[in-house]
Amino acid sequence: MVTTTPQEPVYVIGAGPGGLAVAATLRARGVRAVVLEKSGAVGTSWRGHYDRLRLHTTRRLSALPGLRIPRSYGRWVARADLVRYLEAYAEKHELDVVTGVEVHRIEPAEGGGWLLHATGGRRLTGRAVVVATGFNHTPSLPRWPGLDTYGGELIHAREYRNPEPYAGRDVLVVGIGNTGAEIAADLAEGGAARVRIAVRTAPHVLRRTTAGWPAQRSGILVRRLPVGLVDLLGRGLARFASPDLSAYGLPRPTAGLASRVREGAIAVQDVGLVDAIRAGKVEVVAAVEDLDGREVVLADGTRIAPDAVIAATGYRRALEPLVGHLDVLDERGRPVVRGARSPRHAPGLYFTGFTNPISGMLRELAIDAERIARRIARTK
């Protein structure tokens, strides 16, 4: 059975910040939008992050359209406060959020629009679809040799909450993106006996603020500049905003800041890792090559046997089951377009939240939402 309405709605898949922002901006333009969320609440991804997490972008530059983030939340908004903000956002804008419904597949509908195959055999038709399932959708774990038979304790960073279970223990964190860096600092401050962080490629490490100036504002200023120019500016900025940790086994990266971002590697904003490394509370070690019994073999041949391994090895967008058959993904599984642009052969299909820009993801989600809503409102 196909479920229709007199005026087919726009379906927004995902009730995270991106999906809620699009729904609110559509509603403000008189366009009916229905948000489909597979879990039981808005902001599920944020609810599951580790306790220590705060936004790396400022409160003022992280608000979604139509509602400021309360000043009482501070300049760097805590994870729990962001969840409260998202709940308040959905309520203020009276958004039509349907929870417990997962969309499995999207395909063109007969006569135009889109057909969504969802939980319980539902088949929903919409005039347009906005995919906002999130940048951090499905935890990704490298297929290290020996992974299936590894006898030690190993979790993905998605499962990490706080350092309490690791007090007095030897912990290896794998990966030095923002998540790995922050978890390592959290463990060092939280009583772990030994903390090591395995690094394959040295990242750009920036101070969150320099003389009161947030790194995010610098990211906004250079957002549209040529990659080569941003790389050049970044090398100069590094002298003032990027600590030199070469003596501790973490050399400055050889690739430029913007070049790394284009490859998908965002700069690490320091929220404690630098001090922890300098104090000897976090040791930098080589990348993980394979797992052997209860041992971890590093790229330099060193064998270690930590009590626990936390893999901060990123996420997959996992869009293939949903839209992989529509030829709208690149070789890395990312949408070939984002924001208000639709693939030429898939008009009315939009994606938001699948990049991690240096100007701040929440800021870009807000901009995307306005653009998508304008485009959809013009085509009604």
Coordinates of all heavy atoms in Angstrom, one line a residue, residues 144-155 172 290-297 304-310:
W144 N 42.0 -5.0 10.6 CA 43.4 -5.4 11.0 C 43.5 -6.9 10.9 O 42.6 -7.7 11.3 CB 43.7 -5.0 12.4 CG 43.8 -3.5 12.6 CD1 44.7 -2.6 11.9 CD2 43.1 -2.7 13.6 NE1 44.5 -1.4 12.4 CE2 43.6 -1.4 13.4 CE3 42.2 -3.0 14.5 CZ2 43.1 -0.3 14.2 CZ3 41.7 -1.9 15.3 CH2 42.2 -0.6 15.1
P145 N 44.7 -7.4 10.4 CA 44.9 -8.9 10.5 C 44.8 -9.3 12.0 O 45.4 -8.7 12.9 CB 46.3 -9.0 10.0 CG 46.5 -7.9 9.1 CD 45.8 -6.7 9.7
G146 N 44.1 -10.4 12.2 CA 44.0 -10.9 13.6 C 42.8 -10.3 14.4 O 42.6 -10.6 15.6
L147 N 42.1 -9.4 13.8 CA 41.0 -8.7 14.5 C 40.0 -9.8 15.0 O 39.5 -9.7 16.1 CB 40.3 -7.7 13.5 CG 39.0 -7.0 14.1 CD1 39.4 -6.2 15.3 CD2 38.4 -6.2 13.0
D148 N 39.6 -10.7 14.2 CA 38.6 -11.7 14.6 C 39.0 -12.6 15.7 O 38.1 -13.1 16.4 CB 38.2 -12.6 13.4 CG 37.5 -11.7 12.3 OD1 37.0 -10.7 12.6 OD2 37.5 -12.2 11.1
T149 N 40.3 -12.7 15.9 CA 40.8 -13.6 17.0 C 41.4 -12.9 18.1 O 42.0 -13.5 19.0 CB 41.7 -14.7 16.4 OG1 42.8 -14.0 15.8 CG2 41.0 -15.6 15.4
Y150 N 41.4 -11.6 18.1 CA 42.0 -10.8 19.1 C 41.4 -11.1 20.5 O 40.2 -11.1 20.7 CB 41.9 -9.3 18.8 CG 42.5 -8.4 19.9 CD1 43.9 -8.4 20.1 CD2 41.8 -7.4 20.6 CE1 44.5 -7.6 21.1 CE2 42.4 -6.6 21.5 CZ 43.7 -6.7 21.7 OH 44.3 -5.9 22.7
G151 N 42.3 -11.4 21.5 CA 41.8 -11.8 22.8 C 41.7 -10.7 23.8 O 41.3 -10.9 24.9
G152 N 42.1 -9.5 23.4 CA 42.0 -8.4 24.4 C 40.7 -7.6 24.3 O 39.8 -7.9 23.5
E153 N 40.6 -6.6 25.1 CA 39.3 -5.8 25.1 C 39.5 -4.7 24.1 O 40.4 -3.9 24.1 CB 39.2 -5.2 26.5 CG 38.0 -4.2 26.6 CD 37.9 -3.6 28.0 OE1 38.3 -4.2 29.0 OE2 37.4 -2.4 28.1
L154 N 38.5 -4.6 23.2 CA 38.5 -3.6 22.1 C 37.1 -3.1 21.9 O 36.2 -3.9 21.7 CB 39.1 -4.3 20.8 CG 39.4 -3.3 19.6 CD1 40.5 -3.9 18.7 CD2 38.1 -3.1 18.8
I155 N 37.0 -1.8 21.8 CA 35.7 -1.1 21.5 C 36.0 0.0 20.5 O 37.1 0.5 20.4 CB 35.0 -0.5 22.8 CG1 35.9 0.6 23.4 CG2 34.8 -1.6 23.8 CD1 35.1 1.4 24.4
L172 N 45.2 1.9 25.1 CA 45.7 2.3 23.8 C 44.5 2.9 23.0 O 43.5 2.3 22.8 CB 46.3 1.2 23.0 CG 46.7 1.5 21.5 CD1 47.8 2.5 21.5 CD2 47.0 0.2 20.7
D290 N 48.7 -4.9 13.1 CA 47.8 -6.1 13.2 C 47.7 -6.4 14.7 O 48.3 -5.8 15.6 CB 48.4 -7.2 12.4 CG 49.8 -7.6 12.8 OD1 49.9 -8.1 13.9 OD2 50.7 -7.5 12.0
L291 N 46.8 -7.4 14.9 CA 46.6 -7.9 16.3 C 47.0 -9.4 16.3 O 46.7 -10.1 15.4 CB 45.1 -7.7 16.6 CG 44.5 -6.3 16.4 CD1 43.0 -6.3 16.6 CD2 45.1 -5.3 17.3
D292 N 47.7 -9.7 17.4 CA 48.2 -11.1 17.5 C 47.9 -11.6 18.9 O 48.6 -11.3 19.9 CB 49.7 -11.1 17.2 CG 50.3 -12.5 17.2 OD1 49.5 -13.5 17.2 OD2 51.5 -12.6 17.1
G293 N 46.9 -12.5 19.0 CA 46.5 -13.0 20.3 C 46.0 -11.9 21.2 O 44.9 -11.3 20.9
R294 N 46.7 -11.6 22.3 CA 46.3 -10.4 23.1 C 47.3 -9.2 22.9 O 47.2 -8.3 23.7 CB 46.3 -10.9 24.6 CG 45.3 -11.9 24.9 CD 45.3 -12.2 26.4 NE 44.9 -11.0 27.2 CZ 43.6 -10.7 27.4 NH1 42.6 -11.5 27.0 NH2 43.3 -9.6 28.2
E295 N 48.1 -9.3 21.9 CA 49.1 -8.2 21.6 C 48.7 -7.4 20.4 O 48.0 -7.9 19.5 CB 50.5 -8.8 21.4 CG 51.1 -9.5 22.6 CD 52.6 -9.9 22.3 OE1 52.8 -10.3 21.2 OE2 53.4 -9.7 23.2
V296 N 49.1 -6.1 20.5 CA 48.9 -5.2 19.4 C 50.3 -5.0 18.8 O 51.2 -4.6 19.5 CB 48.3 -3.9 19.9 CG1 48.2 -2.9 18.7 CG2 47.0 -4.1 20.5
V297 N 50.4 -5.2 17.4 CA 51.7 -5.0 16.7 C 51.6 -3.7 16.0 O 50.7 -3.4 15.2 CB 51.9 -6.1 15.7 CG1 53.3 -6.0 15.1 CG2 51.8 -7.5 16.4
I304 N 52.8 -4.5 22.0 CA 52.3 -4.0 23.3 C 51.1 -4.8 23.6 O 50.4 -5.4 22.8 CB 52.0 -2.5 23.3 CG1 50.9 -2.2 22.3 CG2 53.3 -1.7 23.0 CD1 50.5 -0.8 22.3
A305 N 50.8 -4.9 24.9 CA 49.6 -5.7 25.4 C 48.8 -4.8 26.3 O 48.8 -5.0 27.6 CB 50.1 -6.9 26.1
P306 N 48.1 -3.8 25.8 CA 47.3 -2.9 26.7 C 46.1 -3.7 27.3 O 45.7 -4.7 26.7 CB 46.8 -1.8 25.7 CG 46.8 -2.5 24.4 CD 48.0 -3.4 24.4
D307 N 45.6 -3.1 28.4 CA 44.4 -3.7 29.0 C 43.2 -3.5 28.1 O 42.2 -4.3 28.2 CB 44.2 -3.1 30.4 CG 45.3 -3.4 31.3 OD1 45.9 -4.5 31.3 OD2 45.7 -2.5 32.1
A308 N 43.2 -2.4 27.4 CA 42.0 -2.0 26.6 C 42.5 -1.2 25.4 O 43.4 -0.5 25.4 CB 41.0 -1.3 27.4
V309 N 41.8 -1.4 24.3 CA 42.0 -0.7 23.0 C 40.7 0.1 22.7 O 39.6 -0.5 22.6 CB 42.4 -1.6 21.9 CG1 42.6 -0.8 20.6 CG2 43.7 -2.3 22.2
I310 N 40.8 1.4 22.4 CA 39.7 2.2 22.0 C 40.0 2.7 20.6 O 40.9 3.4 20.4 CB 39.4 3.3 23.0 CG1 39.2 2.8 24.4 CG2 38.3 4.2 22.5 CD1 39.0 3.9 25.4

